[in-house]
Each structure stands twice: as structure tokens, then as C-alpha cells.
Amino acid sequence: MLAMAVAILLFVAVVALVLFITNLPKRMPSWGVALLFLFPAVLLICFGLIYPTVVTFKNSFYGRDGTQGVGWANYIQIFTSPDFLRVLLNTVLWTILVPLVATLVGLVYAVVVDRTRYEKLAKTLIFLPMAISMVGASIIWKFVYDQRVGLLSAAYTGIAKFFGHTVQAPQWLMNAPLNTFLLIFVMIWIEAGYAMTVLSTAIKGIPEDLVEASRLDGLNAWQQFIYLTIPMIRPSIVVVITTVAMAGLKSFDIVRTMTAGNYDTSVIANEFYTQSFQNQNTGLGAALAVLMFIIVIPVVVFNISQLRKSQDVR
């Protein structure tokens, strides 16, 4: 109720400010009007982004209860503890494998599906996982990986029986490091539809005269793909990779829903939640949040620069 009341008051204040600005005398300088319009946005950025960032960075140098300063101890623990090194390694795997494989699969989808009779239906089915929430997709795949009734276990025991062996399916989500790759596969399954949509649009944007000229020059389909399609859609590929990389870096829902970070599957986002809200270690949780923030910044900056380059080319 309090949050709703604050939101209503903020909305009323913004509306009142806009009405006040629109009725200002015309003699007021244009830069003054611009500052008045920017003030609400700047205020929200300061209290919703800058202030929490500064507080989190400060808390990362304090202990469990946030009252005693510990210097760099939290960061040293993250980079020296075997458990946290496993978390960092898992995060690296998510950040590398998810964007690369999802983009590759999406590119294959985009090229193959564009040549089918049922293009719209095929694209809808491929994009459908994007319409499912991360938690919903995680629950679906958790059943698939179930040892007793899961589809993967049934296929595993069925293939073994075909070759004359009677085996019991393993606990897929409890076997490290296989379980980490199984979780990564769920993210790839979701993000491949996004990659296909963006790359398919980019491929359709290639001028037809260039495609026809390449055919007249004697290039076959594979050569056209390597020497024409890939260079022409390179900005879109880079944007897809960086966007999916940020999603993989911040992955929380899948890990939390399927394993809760157990069995050596935790990543930075999940460990931040565990340390901050379960172990009540606010200092270590803040250090993990700062670490994620530092890693995300270069990816975001690179993504924005590539978007600007692609817009300039167009």
C-alpha cells in the first residue's frame, strides 16, 4: 500500500510539473524548460540507480552485519575460496556458451527457416520459448531431467536397452559438471528464438541486387553465406551475442528453480541472493553484486557502440 501511495504521489507530481511547464511564460529560456523536463528523470535515476549503487559498493567493504569494516576481505574470499571459484567458473561458462551457441543456432534457424514453405509457423514454434517465463521453462525442463519420469531418462534407458543393457538413469541435475551444461542448454533453448528473429530480419534486409550480383559472379550458396551474408549481418550478430551474454551473465531464475545453486551449479547472481537473503551476509552479497556490475559494464558499453554503428550504416 505504501509503495502504491508513493507511486501515485510521484505520478501526480510529474503531471503537475508538466502542466506547470506548459503554462510557463514564453519569455523563459528554452534551456530552463529543458531542465525542468529533465528534472524528474534525473531525480529517478539518482534515487533508483546511483544511490543504490553507491550504497552497495560501500556495503561490500563491511562484514556480515554491515557494521564492521573488513576492507577487501569479501573480494579476497570470492577470488580465493574454492566454492566461489566454482561460482566464477560457472558464470564464465554461462557467459561464453549461452551467447555463442544460441547465436549459432539462431543463425542456422534463420537461414534454414527462411527457405521453407511454412516460414511463419516454423518461426512461431522456434520463438515460442521466449514467450515462456524463465521459471516456467525451468519447471518444464526439470521434469525432462527427472530421473524417474523424465524424457531424457526414458531415452537414456531406452537406448541402453536397445543395445542389450539394463541401466538406471543418473540423477542428471546432481552430477557435476554435467548439470551445469544441462542448465545452460535451457537458456540456449530460450534465447535461440530471439537470435533467430533478429538475424532473420537482418538477412531479409540484405539488398536483393547484391545477392543477384553474387550469383552472377558464380558464388554458390555456401560462398554467398560466408562472403556476403555474414559480413552484411555482422552488426546484428554482435548485438545478439552481447545481449544474450548479458542475459547469461545475470542468469538467476533457471539456476534457482532447478537446483537452487546446489551440486556445484551456482552462478554469481544466485550466490548474491544466497549470501544476502539466506546466509544474511550483506557484505559478501554486496561484493558479489559489485563484481557483477563491473563485469556487465563493458558488455553494455560495447553493445551500445555496436548499436550506434549499425544505425550509422543504415
Side-chain angles (χ1 to χ4, degrees):
M1 294 298 294
L2 180 60
M4 183 179 296
V6 172
I8 294 174
L9 290 175
L10 182 61
F11 175 76
V12 172
V14 172
V15 171
L17 180 62
V18 171
L19 293 175
F20 172 73
I21 293 174
T22 55
N23 290 292
L24 284 175
K26 293 184 178 180
R27 63 176 180 272
M28 185 175 185
S30 58
W31 60 265
V33 177
L35 288 178
L36 287 176
F37 272 110
L38 287 174
F39 177 74
V42 173
L43 189 65
L44 290 175
I45 290 175
C46 291
F47 284 95
L49 181 62
I50 297 178
Y51 175 73
T53 301
V54 173
V55 172
T56 301
F57 187 78
K58 178 183 73 69
N59 290 340
S60 67
F61 294 99
Y62 285 81
R64 175 179 295 272
D65 56 0
T67 58
Q68 183 178 2
V70 295
W72 296 91
N74 292 321
Y75 295 96
I76 294 174
Q77 181 180 354
I78 292 174
F79 288 102
T80 57
S81 170
D83 293 335
F84 284 107
L85 289 177
R86 167 61 64 178
V87 171
L88 295 178
L89 177 60
N90 290 340
T91 305
V92 170
L93 289 175
W94 277 80
T95 309
I96 294 176
L97 292 180
V98 171
L100 292 182
V101 178
T103 303
L104 179 61
V105 173
L107 181 59
V108 173
Y109 282 160
V111 174
V112 174
V113 171
D114 281 345
R115 301 180 180 181
T116 61
R117 291 180 56 188
Y118 306 100
E119 177 186 350
K120 293 183 179 180
L121 177 61
K123 286 185 176 181
T124 300
L125 294 176
I126 296 171
F127 188 78
L128 192 60
M130 284 292 296
I132 305 174
S133 68
M134 291 287 186
V135 175
S138 302
I139 294 174
I140 292 172
W141 282 95
K142 193 172 183 178
F143 280 112
V144 173
Y145 296 149
D146 188 88
Q147 183 190 30
R148 295 170 299 174
V149 299
L151 182 61
L152 182 60
S153 297
Y156 178 83
T157 55
I159 294 174
K161 186 178 292 185
F162 177 80
F163 288 101
H165 301 284
T166 302
V167 296
Q168 183 180 13
Q171 292 276 8
W172 302 105
L173 295 180
M174 296 175 63
N175 291 338
L178 176 62
N179 48 11
T180 297
F181 293 100
L182 293 177
L183 299 185
I184 289 175
F185 178 81
V186 178
M187 189 72 168
I188 293 172
W189 178 71
I190 295 173
E191 296 293 339
Y194 162 75
M196 177 208 64
T197 303
V198 176
L199 298 179
S200 177
T201 304
I203 291 174
K204 289 182 180 297
I206 299 176
E208 191 64 32
D209 55 346
L210 292 180
V211 177
E212 187 63 28
S214 66
R215 290 174 184 169
L216 295 176
D217 289 338
L219 297 182
N220 56 36
W222 175 251
Q223 291 173 329
Q224 286 180 357
F225 178 74
I226 296 297
Y227 299 112
L228 176 63
T229 303
I230 295 298
M232 290 295 294
I233 66 172
R234 179 186 173 277
S236 297
I237 292 177
V238 173
V239 169
V240 169
I241 289 177
T242 52
T243 302
V244 178
M246 286 188 289
L249 179 63
K250 298 181 293 182
S251 57
F252 169 79
D253 313 66
I254 295 175
V255 175
R256 196 71 200 172
T257 303
M258 299 186 72
T259 63
N262 297 318
Y263 317 115
D264 293 334
T265 60
S266 187
V267 292
I268 291 180
N270 179 77
E271 199 62 29
F272 157 71
Y273 175 87
T274 300
Q275 296 297 331
S276 299
F277 300 104
Q278 290 189 339
N279 298 344
Q280 300 298 317
N281 193 337
T282 57
L284 188 56
L288 289 165
V290 170
L291 179 61
M292 183 186 299
F293 178 74
I294 293 174
I295 297 174
V296 166
I297 286 178
V299 181
V300 173
V301 172
F302 182 74
N303 194 8
I304 294 174
S305 65
Q306 292 300 314
L307 281 172
R308 289 178 176 175
K309 287 181 181 179
S310 63
Q311 291 174 353
D312 293 339
V313 170
R314 293 175 185 178

